Amino acid sequence: MECRRTRKLVGFALVAATVAAVSIPARSQEAVAIPGTLVTLTPPPGFSVKGRGLDNGAGSTITISERAADAYAELATTFSSAKNLTTAYAAQGVTIRAVRQINVPAGPVLFAAGTQSFRGRNTSRYFALLKGDKTVLISFDLADRSFSEADAETLLRSVSLGRVATVEEQLAQLAFTFDVVEPFRVANIIDRNTVTLEAGPDDQPASSRPAVVIGRGQSQAVMGDEARVAVELLKNTAGFREATITAEGPVTFAGGPGYAVTAVVDDRTVVQYLRIVPGGAYLRLLGRGPSAVMQGAEATIAAIADSVEPK
């Protein structure tokens, strides 16, 4: 169990540390939202927003990592002592000297202070674990030794945590509308472009249940070229490159002329609807699952496809 917690914590921090993005200048004493997170904070002097965190351009970074809310209890166990946390980061040469709790407006924070000696580089390291709609880890990697624990606390007192948008709010942000037809339900929403629907009991393997993915993608194709693009997209879909097309033809989809393709590979069936829309984009619905299951789901998938409309 301890090894699993260690791997999760270190992986948690490393993912955020490797996010690359264009720097967004931020003046000190002004709260800024960290892109892709629920965190808003006031950067210390000299730091600006970069990716999912802050950078001072001189080797010091402050990174924000987020995981599901239920990850907090396990990570808090690792923060229960300096020894546990030192073990978690041993591979990175981190030594934690103290762990304590501080209270800030965002709530109680588990705060750890230490140092790191790794590949000839010596830095001060602070870690802060916060609980909200998501579990938040703030990691300080400071080449500037003048940045103190008090400075880190000042930043933490500026933190505010947003809330996770409801499913309804996320659906409202999509670039298209559609109807959820039972037994399908919303399983996942990615940005403004993709939604996944699933049917069947959650305790069954996903591979044994039908799924529908509706998405908006960019394309250089022109309207009227749906037949060619539909086949190309289907053949480039993971698991269906060698699929045999069993039916295809023009349909009305997403409020205009589209194209539908049905294909089979081994014991799996895929049904795809496509329409190229103005602005160099397309709307696509892809239903897939075991052939035996898809036979009973195709009518429902067709009803969902009939409801798709671009905004």
Side-chain angles (χ1 to χ4, degrees):
M1 178 62 74
E2 185 63 38
C3 290
R4 185 161 63 92
R5 279 199 298 268
T6 297
R7 288 194 300 268
K8 285 185 176 181
L9 181 62
V10 174
F12 186 15
L14 286 178
V15 168
T18 57
V19 174
V22 176
S23 293
I24 304 172
R27 291 174 291 178
S28 62
Q29 307 309 314
E30 290 186 356
V32 296
I34 303 301
T37 77
L38 300 179
V39 176
T40 297
L41 52 73
T42 301
F47 282 80
S48 60
V49 176
K50 184 175 183 181
R52 294 188 179 183
L54 306 172
D55 192 309
N56 75 346
S60 294
T61 60
I62 303 169
T63 57
I64 311 296
S65 311
E66 290 185 337
R67 286 186 58 190
D70 59 9
Y72 180 85
E74 189 171 341
L75 292 172
T77 300
T78 306
F79 269 77
S80 63
S81 71
K83 179 180 178 180
N84 284 351
L85 205 52
T86 296
T87 300
Y89 283 100
Q92 298 181 44
V94 173
T95 300
I96 302 299
R97 64 175 179 272
V99 177
R100 57 191 172 91
Q101 179 174 301
I102 58 177
N103 294 314
V104 303
V109 177
L110 294 178
F111 180 78
T115 57
Q116 180 179 24
S117 178
F118 188 67
R119 295 179 179 175
R121 181 173 180 261
N122 298 312
T123 59
S124 297
R125 295 302 307 267
Y126 305 127
F127 301 92
L129 187 67
L130 298 86
K131 183 178 183 181
D133 280 9
K134 291 187 177 181
T135 299
V136 176
L137 178 68
I138 302 179
S139 303
F140 299 75
D141 187 355
L142 305 165
D144 180 2
R145 295 298 185 91
S146 67
F147 192 106
S148 66
E149 288 188 38
D151 295 323
E153 284 195 37
T154 298
L155 178 142
L156 294 172
R157 295 186 190 284
S158 76
V159 169
S160 61
L161 301 179
R163 63 178 181 83
V164 174
T166 65
V167 171
E168 290 73 19
E169 290 169 338
Q170 293 179 69
L171 290 174
Q173 295 299 313
L174 288 172
F176 49 86
T177 61
F178 67 98
D179 294 336
V180 180
V181 182
E182 293 184 347
F184 285 90
R185 62 189 178 280
V186 176
N188 189 32
I189 302 169
I190 302 176
D191 299 326
R192 298 184 63 252
N193 295 316
T194 307
V195 59
T196 300
L197 311 178
E198 294 180 349
D202 287 333
D203 58 358
Q204 288 185 358
S207 60
S208 68
R209 296 182 278 127
V212 171
V213 180
I214 309 170
R216 183 183 188 276
Q218 295 302 120
S219 173
Q220 298 299 318
V222 297
M223 298 174 68
D225 201 18
E226 282 82 1
R228 178 186 65 80
V229 175
V231 173
E232 287 184 359
L233 281 174
L234 180 62
K235 291 291 188 177
N236 286 318
T237 299
F240 290 96
R241 180 174 296 276
E242 304 302 324
T244 299
I245 294 176
T246 58
E248 61 179 303
V251 294
T252 298
F253 174 63
Y259 202 81
V261 180
T262 300
V264 175
V265 59
D266 298 327
D267 61 346
R268 300 185 65 77
T269 294
V270 59
V271 180
Q272 176 187 268
Y273 295 80
L274 176 80
R275 182 192 170 199
I276 299 172
V277 295
Y282 63 83
L283 286 175
R284 180 195 193 199
L285 181 148
L286 188 79
R288 58 188 176 187
S291 296
V293 175
M294 288 292 289
Q295 289 178 4
E298 284 190 15
T300 304
I301 293 173
I304 297 172
D306 286 343
S307 72
V308 175
E309 294 284 347
K311 287 184 177 178

